[in-house]
Structure formats: C-alpha cells, structure tokens
Amino acid sequence: MEKNNNKNYMKIEFLSKSSNESFARVVVAAFASQLDPTIEELSDVKTAVSEAVTNAIIHGYEYGEGIVVVEATLEDNKIDIVVEDFGKGIEDINKAMEPFYTSKPNLERSGMGFTVMETFMDELEVESELNKGTRVKMSKTFKSLSIKE
Amino acid sequence: MQLSFDIINNYMIVKLKGELDHHTSEEARKKIDQKYYSNNLTNIILDLRELNFMDSSGIGLIMGRYKNCADRNGMISIVSTSPYINRMLKMSGILKLANIYQTIEEAIKG
C-alpha cells in the first residue's frame, strides 16, 4: 500500500441497537478531531453520522438485529465517512431523500434525516439495493485548516 | 438524557439535559406524554438549553408534542440558546409551529 502520511483510516462495526447511535457519532467525532475542526464542523459531522446510523437501525433493519459498519478516512483536511447496513434497502432513493418524507409516519419521524446529512456535509451519496442493504457516503472539508499553515 | 418537569399554571415545563437522539427520544416522548395527560395540561414549554446534542429525532419529538398540544388547543414553546440547536430548528421549519425564547419567563409571557 502506498504510504501517505496525510491519510488515516478507521472502521467500526456494531449491532444495530439504538444505544449505539451515540457510540458511533462520538467515535467518528473523536477520530475527526485529529484534523482540528471547529466545534461547529465537529457538530455537523456528529449529527450527520447520527442520522445515517439511525436510518440503518430504523429503516435498514427495521429494529431487527444486524450489523452497522462505519468507516472514516481522513486525508489532508477532508473526512470521508461511509455508513453501511445489510438490511432491506431503499426502494426509491429520490423519494427517501425528499425533505419531510418518511416511510414510517406512525413512528413520529421528522423525515429530515437525509436533508440534515446534505446540509451539514459537503457531499452525500446514497447507494441501495433491495434486500441487500444501503451505503451512505458523505464527506466534508474542514475549512478551519485552510487558514492555518 | 435527563428530564425534569415543572408545572406552572397550564404550562408543563420540560427541561431536557444531555443528548437527544433516536435512542433517547423514545423514552423522553413516553415520559412527557404521561405527565402531560395525567396532569391534564394544555401547553408545553420545552427547555433545550442543557442539551448538548440533538439530531432530527428531536425534531420528530417536538412535532409530535406540537400535535398533542394542538389537539387540546394548547401550544408548544421552545427555550433554546444554542446556535447548533437553533440551526436545526430553523432548518426543520419548526419555527412555523413554535416560537423560540431565551428564557422560560419569556416563553410563559409569550
């Protein structure tokens, strides 16, 4: 593997339990801290990870048992995050990404998950296959670094 | 997540402390609703000043309580001073349903 000193990578996997939502976002935030982001940037990342992991638990596995994988790559001043589940998949990604749309209206969900991810991160990409799972890729460049040396 | 309740006249004041996500919002919702209905109250003030994290599950929680209050001709008010939480509230359009105040006294005055 080519060595790049500006690159770092981590991966965690955990059971699809809602108590792991805070675990996942705190781990990613702690990892991202290496790039010295602002509190606001860190809060954006935490929120986006929380949304993606919550989706995996509620929609991917519909509260059943499964594995959620979270990966993060740091390169220069950018973080790439992947949140993946191997659950039921999303039938219509465009519909799922519409603000306020929820496939589970009885659960008091706001339907804002993807909108939050889109707003708080620079890039968002969703790949999904029915009965195979969903992979959410998002990235953010920490601007705070660019003003330093 | 810690919740504490206070009742002033027809207002149920709920102070939320800690992190409000999908995991913690389910229990918070049950406790809030239980208190609201068993005390036969009308209005709710949600004090979010001691929350250090909130994702869109918090928005779902607020929207649900808004509906409960509206069913009883009551209203919901939010006390929040955190720019992060206020940004989330603005983004969700919840400000069309509820006002944000800096203090509980202001929220009661309306």
Side-chain angles (χ1 to χ4, degrees):
Chain A
M1 205 173 153
E2 200 186 328
K3 196 177 172 193
N4 180 346
N5 287 332
N6 289 328
K7 198 166 174 174
N8 200 353
Y9 168 81
M10 73 94 188
K11 177 179 178 179
I12 51 169
E13 44 180 85
F14 49 86
L15 268 185
S16 55
K17 284 174 165 289
S18 63
S19 54
N20 284 330
E21 291 155 4
S22 65
F23 167 69
R25 66 178 177 260
V26 167
V27 167
V28 175
F31 187 64
S33 296
Q34 295 175 17
L35 297 184
D36 208 11
T38 62
I39 295 171
E40 187 179 346
E41 287 169 333
L42 211 51
S43 155
D44 290 350
V45 168
K46 263 173 107 170
T47 311
V49 169
S50 196
E51 301 290 352
V53 171
T54 300
N55 275 353
I57 292 168
I58 298 182
H59 301 287
Y61 295 115
E62 297 189 297
Y63 292 99
E65 200 165 279
I67 293 288
V68 181
V69 176
V70 176
E71 291 171 90
T73 307
L74 307 178
E75 192 166 11
D76 300 322
N77 56 346
K78 186 180 178 206
I79 184 165
D80 288 292
I81 301 166
V82 176
V83 177
E84 191 170 15
D85 70 66
F86 310 94
K88 67 171 236 180
I90 303 170
E91 209 173 309
D92 184 342
I93 294 178
N94 289 330
K95 183 132 198 113
M97 291 180 78
E98 279 173 20
F100 304 111
Y101 172 77
T102 175
S103 58
K104 303 203 184 309
N106 53 322
L107 285 186
E108 250 183 32
R109 305 298 309 164
S110 66
M112 291 296 290
F114 281 124
T115 308
V116 169
M117 290 180 238
E118 255 177 337
T119 309
F120 289 178
M121 301 295 284
D122 298 336
E123 287 164 58
L124 172 70
E125 211 183 295
V126 185
E127 294 163 11
S128 191
E129 206 179 321
L130 277 183
N131 303 315
K132 289 265 169 69
T134 300
R135 194 177 154 89
V136 174
K137 286 162 77 176
M138 42 198 177
S139 63
K140 189 176 182 75
T141 300
F142 297 129
K143 310 266 186 322
S144 49
L145 269 190
S146 53
I147 50 170
K148 289 183 204 157
E149 290 212 16
Chain B
M1 156 69 61
Q2 282 174 278
L3 286 178
S4 56
F5 295 94
D6 218 343
I7 295 168
I8 300 179
N9 301 326
N10 239 330
Y11 289 90
M12 176 170 87
I13 299 156
V14 188
K15 181 180 264 184
L16 298 97
K17 193 174 175 180
E19 307 207 323
L20 185 57
D21 62 5
H22 161 238
H23 180 68
T24 56
S25 68
E26 307 222 321
E27 201 190 334
R29 178 175 66 204
K30 276 185 213 146
K31 285 185 177 163
I32 292 170
D33 288 354
Q34 202 266 332
K35 199 90 175 172
Y36 180 69
Y37 290 113
S38 66
N39 288 285
N40 204 18
L41 296 163
T42 316
N43 305 305
I44 298 179
I45 296 172
L46 292 176
D47 182 354
L48 311 181
R49 286 174 298 179
E50 287 187 50
L51 275 188
N52 47 42
F53 178 84
M54 184 179 94
D55 64 16
S56 73
S57 302
I59 302 299
L61 177 97
I62 298 170
M63 284 177 169
R65 308 294 71 68
Y66 164 79
K67 272 165 67 186
N68 293 349
C69 288
D71 286 345
R72 298 189 147 203
N73 292 320
M75 55 177 208
I76 188 159
S77 314
I78 298 164
V79 179
S80 167
T81 48
S82 150
Y84 312 116
I85 287 175
N86 289 353
R87 189 163 58 130
M88 181 74 90
L89 295 171
K90 273 181 202 138
M91 208 178 92
S92 67
I94 223 150
L95 302 186
K96 290 179 193 141
L97 313 176
N99 288 325
I100 301 187
Y101 300 93
Q102 305 266 324
T103 63
I104 289 169
E105 292 70 35
E106 284 174 35
I108 291 176
K109 256 192 254 162

